[in-house]
């Protein structure tokens, strides 16, 4: 069959070739779960041979029902967000929906543009993980009338359904783990304090230090949103005259930069310094030593987001719900008891601009 004839193939041609009804062919190509796997394979094979491409947008316009869900994500290099995308796509497909994914690249202006673009595709609903702050995202969404769930970098003040991890509790648990190992000089390295979840993590760390009577040792250092910034900042921390015996990084991007800094400083995990990461990733269990981490319950978060959104898609309009999930501490080899005589830093001094560093003695406003 030549290209011209292939392009002219219709849904009826596919149904005839597959030996099924027109309705069954339509449902199979739309991914409906009511069609058996065998029939679905027949239809897709016929469509492939005929070169048929379903115009899903036209189908939605005819039915006056959108099956697309917009999902705006701040950073697709972050393994937590990637896992969440995979989990949500599975839930959406099971219910006959598909995701339209948009990447904000940690840029609020780009995020606003991506929200407008996704909404222009006539989506049935929206899922948003905001960038820095959230006022811009909310202002864009006030103009639309679609079901909405916001996740991760959110709290109970948001005017929408939200799902997040209990970052405060998880950071307290992680800090408590390091304190139980005998660490006193524990530095918390956080990407940005204007992110809701990062600020809660820093607060949880400080609270655990306060409860242990270690307020004088509490130190929060802001490192920026990239592993390059985290690397430079952590080198500065490690070059201090009295370096910490443990680092607690507030996100996996910060963990990557800290690992490079520890290597460049000639230090060993966990003999010279312990490292705990907020956020887990597959590579953390593969490294030797493995990296101790706070694991967010990605599957539970994804399921909760979809359930809240699906209720709205089904026409239910319950009161706004704010769900907070419990994270798990995964202890691996990178955290160990503090050495009996902590070594005084021997790493070479490096230029260091303590951008955003806060401590009890600093003039920065309290968290």
């Amino acid at each position: 069959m030549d290209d011209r004839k292939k392009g002219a193939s219709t849904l009826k041609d596919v149904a005839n070739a597959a030996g099924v009804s027109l309705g069954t062919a339509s449902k199979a190509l739309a991914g409906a779960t009511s069609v058996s796997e065998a029939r679905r394979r027949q239809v897709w094979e016929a469509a492939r041979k005929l070169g048929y491409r379903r115009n899903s947008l036209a189908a939605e316009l005819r039915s006056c029902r959108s099956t697309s869900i917009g999902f705006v994500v701040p950073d697709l290099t972050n393994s937590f967000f990637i896992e969440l995308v995979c989990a949500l796509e599975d839930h959406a497909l099971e219910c006959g929906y598909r995701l339209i994914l948009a990447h904000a690249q940690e840029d609020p202006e780009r995020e606003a543009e991506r929200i407008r673009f996704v909404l222009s595709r006539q989506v049935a609903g929206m899922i948003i993980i905001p960038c820095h702050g959230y006022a811009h995202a909310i202002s864009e969404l006030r103009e639309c009338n679609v079901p909405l769930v916001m996740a991760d970098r959110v709290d109970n003040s948001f005017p929408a359904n939200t799902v997040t991890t209990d970052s405060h509790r998880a950071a307290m648990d992680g800090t408590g783990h390091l304190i139980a190992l005998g660490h006193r000089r524990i530095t918390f390295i956080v990407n940005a304090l204007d992110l809701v979840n990062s600020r809660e993590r820093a607060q949880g760390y400080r609270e655990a230090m306060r409860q242990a009577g270690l307020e004088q040792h509490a130190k929060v250092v802001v490192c920026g949103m990239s592993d390059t910034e985290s690397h430079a900042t952590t080198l500065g921390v490690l070059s201090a005259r009295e370096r910490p015996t443990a680092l607690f990084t507030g996100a996996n991007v910060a963990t990557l930069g800290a690992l490079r800094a520890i290597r460049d400083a000639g230090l060993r995990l966990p003999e010279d310094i312990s490292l705990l990461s907020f956020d887990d990733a597959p590579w953390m269990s593969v490294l030797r030593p493995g990296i101790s981490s706070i694991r967010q319950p990605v599957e539970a978060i994804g399921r909760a987001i979809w359930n809240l959104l699906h209720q709205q898609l089904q026409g239910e309009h319950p009161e706004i719900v704010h769900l907070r999930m419990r994270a798990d501490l995964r202890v691996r080899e990178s955290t160990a008891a503090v050495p009996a005589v902590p070594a005084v830093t021997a790493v070479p001094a490096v230029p260091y601009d303590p951008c955003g560093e806060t401590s009890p003695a600093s003039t920065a406003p309290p968290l």
Side-chain angles (χ1 to χ4, degrees), residues 39-304:
R39 286 285 176 85
R40 188 179 295 113
R41 281 199 301 268
Q42 283 177 249
V43 172
W44 276 103
E45 180 62 18
R48 186 188 65 78
K49 288 180 178 178
L50 292 170
Y52 175 78
R53 296 291 181 269
R54 179 176 183 267
N55 188 332
S56 58
L57 183 58
E60 289 179 1
L61 288 173
R62 285 194 299 271
S63 67
C64 297
R65 176 181 178 270
S66 173
T67 58
S68 299
I69 303 297
F71 189 8
V72 183
V73 182
D75 180 11
L76 281 176
T77 66
N78 186 314
S79 60
F80 170 71
F81 296 142
I82 294 172
E83 287 185 59
L84 195 53
V85 168
C86 293
L88 280 165
E89 185 168 51
D90 287 344
H91 289 301
L93 288 172
E94 286 176 4
C95 296
Y97 291 87
R98 64 185 186 277
L99 294 184
I100 296 179
L101 187 64
H103 185 198
Q105 296 182 345
E106 296 290 8
D107 180 346
E109 290 187 7
R110 179 183 170 92
E111 178 180 61
E113 185 278 324
R114 293 286 81 193
I115 290 172
R116 290 193 292 270
F117 165 76
V118 172
L119 287 173
S120 75
R121 310 306 293 174
Q122 303 299 311
V123 293
M126 288 285 289
I127 303 167
I128 296 180
I129 300 175
C131 295
H132 291 270
Y134 63 91
H136 50 283
I138 293 295
S139 65
E140 291 294 331
L141 290 163
R142 286 191 195 282
E143 303 303 318
C144 72
N145 186 29
V146 298
L148 168 67
V149 178
M150 301 184 76
D152 191 50
R153 299 172 175 181
V154 294
D155 61 26
N156 293 358
S157 70
F158 280 56
N161 289 309
T162 63
V163 182
T164 188
T165 298
D166 188 346
S167 290
H168 187 278
R169 177 75 261 173
M172 286 190 68
D173 291 344
T175 307
H177 165 64
L178 295 172
I179 292 171
L181 290 172
H183 293 280
R184 299 295 178 266
R185 296 200 305 276
I186 304 167
T187 295
F188 188 78
I189 299 178
V190 64
N191 48 9
L193 291 174
D194 62 343
L195 296 178
V196 174
N197 57 353
S198 293
R199 186 164 63 248
E200 289 183 349
R201 293 168 192 181
Q203 290 169 339
Y205 155 79
R206 282 195 180 279
E207 178 64 17
M209 294 291 279
R210 185 193 66 77
Q211 290 184 9
L214 298 173
E215 277 184 293
Q216 71 275 21
H217 295 298
K219 192 173 187 182
V220 174
V221 178
V222 177
C223 69
M225 299 300 292
S226 71
D227 64 313
T228 301
E229 293 170 306
S230 174
H231 171 253
T233 302
T234 307
L235 272 179
V237 171
L238 297 178
S239 69
R241 185 179 62 82
E242 189 176 56
R243 73 164 185 260
T245 62
L247 298 178
F248 188 178
T249 49
N252 54 27
V253 172
T255 304
L256 281 170
L259 280 169
R260 287 177 52 213
I262 291 168
R263 177 201 64 194
D264 292 348
L267 300 175
R268 298 167 301 163
L269 286 173
E271 292 86 353
D272 300 316
I273 192 165
S274 284
L275 175 65
L276 174 64
S277 169
F278 200 115
D279 275 341
D280 194 32
W283 56 265
M284 292 186 187
S285 62
V286 175
L287 287 181
R288 288 296 176 268
I291 307 301
S292 295
S293 67
I294 302 291
R295 168 75 178 176
Q296 298 194 68
V298 181
E299 285 297 329
I301 291 172
R303 184 166 55 252

Side-chain angles (χ1 to χ4, degrees), residues 7-18:
S9 297
T10 66
L11 180 61
K12 186 175 181 180
D13 295 330
V14 173
N16 289 337

